[in-house]
Amino acid sequence: MNEPSAAQVAFTRDGGIATVTLANPQRLNALTSAMWDQLGDAMRTLEADDSLRCIVLRGAGNRAFAAGADIAEFSAMRADSQQAKRYGERIARTMQAIAGCRHPTLALIQGACVGGGLEIASQCDLRVCGASSRFGVPIKNLGLVVSYAELAGLIALAGRAVALEILLEGRVFGAEEAFAKGLVNRVVADDKLEVEAYAMARRIAEGAPLVARWHKKFVARLAHAEPLSQAEYDESYACFDTADYLEGVAAFLAKRRPEFKGR
């Protein structure tokens, strides 16, 4: 894809699939403060769209998914702890917008996926990368701490031991190691990455959208130890009252492709 000339986050639609693109071509798609806000705004706008079936997050070009926050801004935006807190709160809102999105999300990872880029990818539901992709969070070399909001997704994805290994060593490592650590779902040849990622998105989009949203909700809920309430338990049977359930069964019996409406 062509690289935009200015730092920005933009999204496009192709039927039920949206693509959110992180673009800062001069800095390996590192996110400026404005881009963090734009990413959160984009995710909230898409989250509210009932017609959407899947969101693909990617970086512009093929050199990077994202290299984290734009360090060139730090002297102005993170000069002390109070400034850094305000900056971090903006990042936290964006991370929550990604993690809390009711639609399935897929990170398409080409090239470098480091620092905040890996943290963004970890908030997505699924991750697919090219064989030459690189991963890590080497901010120990900057004297920076990953905030709670940014760290939560990484721990949920890879566990405490792997998260600490990534943070304490600060290594940048390859795609196969990332797969072994559970950071990505799939590694494919670089020249097949885009095709496979959008094939995944289409397979997701072909399913019943209410079911996808319920599965996301249930998986997130089961990460908490509290017992399910009766209302929560009952919700797991609500799909049987939907038109999409009737359509799915009818299509199966008729040996045709179902046409789900999200209701």
Side-chain angles (χ1 to χ4, degrees):
M1 69 185 287
N2 295 326
E3 294 193 10
S5 59
Q8 61 177 310
V9 174
F11 65 87
T12 57
R13 285 286 302 269
D14 181 8
I17 299 170
T19 298
V20 177
T21 303
L22 315 174
N24 188 354
Q26 303 305 315
R27 298 186 179 276
L28 293 177
N29 298 329
L31 277 78
T32 64
S33 59
M35 288 173 67
W36 282 113
D37 292 339
Q38 291 168 13
L39 177 55
D41 290 343
M43 294 303 299
R44 282 184 286 269
T45 296
L46 293 171
E47 202 267 347
D49 187 342
D50 284 338
S51 68
L52 199 62
R53 304 292 179 90
C54 184
I55 302 172
V56 177
L57 275 76
R58 64 179 300 169
N62 58 15
R63 297 173 60 211
F65 175 77
D70 192 341
I71 298 172
E73 288 189 335
F74 280 16
S75 61
M77 304 295 297
R78 289 171 139 177
D80 55 40
S81 61
Q82 291 305 306
Q83 271 195 343
K85 180 181 177 182
R86 291 191 292 272
Y87 187 99
E89 288 169 347
R90 294 165 73 180
I91 292 177
R93 287 192 291 272
T94 292
M95 293 295 186
Q96 180 53 44
I98 301 169
C101 181
R102 61 185 173 138
H103 306 301
T105 54
L106 168 65
L108 187 168
I109 300 170
Q110 293 174 292
C113 181
V114 297
L118 180 53
E119 293 158 15
I120 290 169
S122 74
Q123 302 288 352
C124 294
D125 300 314
L126 301 173
R127 286 149 295 281
V128 58
C129 75
S132 67
S133 297
R134 304 177 308 284
F135 300 82
V137 187
I139 64 173
K140 72 181 183 69
N141 300 320
L142 294 172
L144 291 180
V145 168
V146 177
S147 70
Y148 284 113
E150 298 168 71
L151 187 55
L154 186 60
I155 292 175
L157 181 62
R160 292 169 57 191
V162 170
L164 279 172
E165 176 191 355
I166 291 169
L167 294 171
L168 296 179
E169 284 196 275
R171 288 186 302 118
V172 174
F173 48 89
E176 291 300 332
E177 184 173 348
F179 178 76
K181 292 181 183 303
L183 296 174
V184 296
N185 298 89
R186 200 167 302 168
V187 180
V188 300
D190 290 330
D191 62 350
K192 300 290 193 295
L193 174 59
E194 188 166 342
V195 170
E196 175 59 18
Y198 281 98
M200 292 172 67
R202 286 191 296 273
R203 288 192 288 271
I204 293 168
E206 288 168 357
L210 294 177
V211 169
R213 295 168 198 164
W214 267 317
H215 280 152
K216 282 196 62 169
K217 181 178 181 179
F218 297 167
V219 168
R221 173 62 179 86
L222 289 174
H224 302 282
E226 297 85 357
L228 294 172
S229 68
Q230 186 62 52
E232 288 174 318
Y233 181 80
D234 291 346
E235 188 179 14
S236 66
Y237 296 99
C239 63
F240 290 93
D241 295 329
T242 66
D244 278 354
Y245 165 69
L246 298 177
E247 166 63 11
V249 172
F252 179 84
L253 294 174
K255 295 182 174 56
R256 62 172 174 81
R257 184 184 296 274
E259 297 182 9
F260 296 118
K261 305 297 185 183
R263 56 178 186 265

